[in-house]
Amino acid sequence: MTSKTILVTGAAGFIGFHLCRRLLNLGHTVVGIDNINDYYDVNLKYGRLKELGIHDDASKIWNNATTSDIPDTPFTFIRTNIEDRDQLPKIFKSYPFDIVCNLAAQAGVRYSLENPEAYIDSNITGFLNVLECCRHHGIKKLVYASSSSVYGNTLDVPFSEKASVDQPISLYAATKKSNELMAHTYSHLYGIETIGLRFFTVYGPWGRPDMALFLFTKAILNGEPIKVFNHGNLSRDFTYIDDIIGGVEHTLLAPTKNTEVYKLYNIGNNHPVKLMDFIEAIETVTGCQSEHQMMPMQPGDVNQTWADVHALKSDYEYQPNTPLKQGVEAFVNWYKSYYK
């Protein structure tokens, strides 16, 4: 495989970090950017960057290009905002990117109720800036993160890319739907190949502290009660990080028979798990029982997610195959090691 130069935005994030590591292991040159915001513990983000050879002092300097100190690791990190209309074009001008993968976004459904402006800045203005940079710097392929949240509270399962997604129930979901529309426009007008990936619930080592597996594991190991929303009547298409990264890698690098310039795919496990079964799996792996605080449904949350992944399997040979217990065990082992 010919080595590529790839831009990964959101490189200090959960999925972005794992993707950078996979691409580097495959021999590609990677430039990662991230603003390292404080939506959750920034030390975890610095920890991910350390794994890529970028240390705290370097990653705290804005708009400064720092190369990895791990031998034979062609990774460069730049701390910046994707919505910075002065800085982002300079980065595109400085590096001959073959492909762009935009994973930078303000994440979280519930937080969008508290700080809606952050979602417009990053997810709308920032994504437009990425599209404009691709347009003006000759980028022919853009892979970007959408979300299963665009499906809202539909009862039609499994979720199909052909379904209507015009009724988002959170601002976060609305911004992700907007990204898909914006990408369609740039594919139509400028011939840029855009591939939107609707991520379903991703879990695994180095995961986000605001996600269920992290919150539940932390509470269970500390002997604290866990909050169970909608009285446990939820299900999620939990997907292990290695399966997700395999899918993203293929959309970035693998050939496909789908010649459309605008493409959208679900990327999940195609196997929903009831929330109470998920909790039971964590308890089994940790060897600890937990007290359950039954809570009402949270605003913006959805009852269920279930990915139909036939299109991604057909076009890119996507094949998620990590059993839930194996994935949960990998996370718990990482958590115990990282937090001692």
Side-chain angles (χ1 to χ4, degrees):
M1 180 185 296
T2 304
S3 177
K4 304 286 187 182
T5 299
I6 303 171
L7 172 64
V8 177
T9 72
F14 175 33
I15 299 174
F17 155 68
H18 281 278
L19 179 62
C20 287
R21 189 161 63 177
R22 173 72 64 88
L23 294 173
L24 291 166
N25 288 339
L26 291 171
H28 299 286
T29 297
V30 179
V31 176
I33 66 177
D34 200 294
N35 65 1
I36 314 184
N37 67 28
D38 61 358
Y39 169 62
Y40 60 79
D41 182 15
V42 295
N43 292 311
L44 183 59
K45 299 180 182 183
Y46 291 136
R48 294 173 184 143
L49 290 173
K50 282 183 180 179
E51 293 289 305
L52 299 171
I54 307 295
H55 292 278
D56 290 10
D57 290 343
S59 54
K60 289 178 180 176
I61 304 173
W62 284 89
N63 301 328
N64 180 62
T66 304
T67 55
S68 173
D69 62 12
I70 300 174
D72 302 318
T73 301
F75 178 67
T76 300
F77 177 76
I78 303 169
R79 183 176 183 180
T80 195
N81 284 310
I82 60 170
E83 61 264 34
D84 188 328
R85 292 179 181 170
D86 293 323
Q87 182 62 20
L88 195 64
K90 292 178 182 177
I91 295 172
F92 273 75
K93 188 175 181 179
S94 298
Y95 300 91
F97 297 128
D98 297 300
I99 307 169
V100 173
C101 185
N102 184 63
L103 301 176
Q106 178 57 61
V109 169
R110 294 165 195 161
Y111 186 62
S112 67
L113 302 176
E114 304 169 22
N115 191 3
E117 292 83 3
Y119 290 77
I120 301 302
D121 292 342
S122 181
N123 301 7
I124 302 295
T125 302
F127 189 62
L128 173 62
N129 203 20
V130 170
L131 287 168
E132 278 289 278
C133 285
C134 289
R135 169 193 173 190
H136 291 293
H137 293 273
I139 306 301
K140 297 303 182 183
K141 177 185 269 191
L142 167 66
V143 176
Y144 65 95
S146 186
S147 169
S148 63
S149 66
V150 300
Y151 291 106
N153 248 333
T154 180
L155 298 177
D156 295 329
V157 292
F159 297 170
S160 167
E161 296 94 340
K162 297 177 182 179
S164 172
V165 289
D166 294 331
Q167 295 180 316
I169 61 172
S170 70
L171 182 64
Y172 171 71
T175 63
K176 288 301 184 179
K177 169 62 175 175
S178 298
N179 286 173
E180 296 176 0
L181 295 172
M182 294 161 72
H184 184 277
T185 301
Y186 276 70
S187 290
H188 171 73
L189 290 175
Y190 308 114
I192 301 169
E193 181 185 8
T194 63
I195 303 175
L197 298 175
R198 290 174 174 171
F199 290 105
F200 283 66
T201 308
V202 188
Y203 74 99
W206 296 98
R208 280 170 33 199
D210 62 319
M211 299 295 283
L213 178 55
F214 199 111
L215 292 168
F216 292 162
T217 299
K218 180 180 179 181
I220 289 171
L221 291 176
N222 289 333
E224 300 169 352
I226 60 175
K227 294 180 178 180
V228 181
F229 293 108
N230 201 35
H231 304 282
N233 297 315
L234 299 171
S235 65
R236 294 288 183 267
D237 200 338
F238 293 104
T239 314
Y240 189 62
I241 183 64
D242 288 359
D243 294 332
I244 288 288
I245 295 304
V248 179
E249 173 200 325
H250 286 170
T251 61
L252 285 168
L253 302 171
T256 175
K257 59 181 179 286
N258 186 342
T259 59
E260 297 292 328
V261 290
Y262 173 77
K263 295 187 272 287
L264 268 179
Y265 297 101
N266 292 330
I267 181 166
N269 198 35
N270 192 221
H271 184 72
V273 175
K274 294 179 180 179
L275 182 59
M276 298 309 297
D277 292 339
F278 188 63
I279 293 170
E280 182 179 345
I282 304 170
E283 292 174 336
T284 298
V285 169
T286 59
C288 304
Q289 294 298 305
S290 61
E291 177 188 345
H292 302 165
Q293 286 186 349
M294 295 301 182
M295 309 287 289
M297 189 72 161
Q298 294 295 287
D301 271 1
V302 298
N303 291 305
Q304 62 180 338
T305 63
W306 181 355
D308 180 342
V309 296
H310 285 95
L312 195 58
K313 286 183 177 181
S314 175
D315 290 354
Y316 290 99
E317 299 182 357
Y318 173 66
Q319 189 60 54
N321 55 19
T322 305
L324 179 66
K325 184 178 183 298
Q326 179 182 325
V328 169
E329 188 170 20
F331 172 83
V332 171
N333 289 340
W334 167 81
Y335 182 92
K336 288 179 176 179
S337 174
Y338 186 76
Y339 289 101
K340 302 291 188 287

